[in-house]
Amino acid sequence: MQKALIYFALGTAVSFLINYFFLSSENSGLEFYYAIAFGAAWGIAYYLDTPDITLVKKLGLSFVVMAILVVVGTLIFKLELAIPSILKFSMVFVAYYVIASFRATKSLRK
């Protein structure tokens, strides 16, 4: 769990800093929200990267997190601005497991 939180924090920080310094957006709050979605994807993917958790539970939890991102994003911003957060989350989440699939253990933890 501690490593998952570290992945979340590092993913959020790196994503925010890259977007802030290289894309120079006008809305830093929105960029921070997108960075949280990016970090959450890395943290959740790492946390779920264990054979004890079934694929159905992994997918279910990822959909719950995406729903939370949409609801929070809609409350803070608008629905149109909340949708890219789930796109970032799902792309990173899938990328984590695609990278893991190339390893013999099918996991990035080992």
Side-chain angles (χ1 to χ4, degrees), residues 26-43:
E26 299 165 359
N27 190 348
S28 60
L30 184 62
E31 290 300 328
F32 185 67
Y33 170 69
Y34 291 155
I36 287 174
F38 186 88
W42 278 111

Side-chain angles (χ1 to χ4, degrees), residues 39-108:
W42 278 111
I44 295 291
Y46 182 82
Y47 179 73
L48 295 176
D49 189 12
T50 178
D52 299 338
I53 301 174
T54 65
L55 180 62
V56 174
K57 286 183 183 178
K58 289 177 184 180
L59 292 175
L61 186 59
S62 71
F63 283 123
V64 167
V65 173
M66 285 190 282
I68 291 169
L69 285 170
V70 169
V71 168
V72 169
T74 303
L75 292 175
I76 297 173
F77 307 106
K78 293 188 284 189
L79 180 63
E80 295 84 21
L81 298 175
I83 298 299
S85 70
I86 61 169
L87 296 175
K88 288 178 187 284
F89 179 91
S90 60
M91 286 188 332
V92 171
F93 193 81
V94 169
Y96 181 95
Y97 286 104
V98 167
I99 293 168
S101 72
F102 289 113
R103 298 198 52 187
T105 60
K106 303 296 183 209
S107 173
L108 292 181

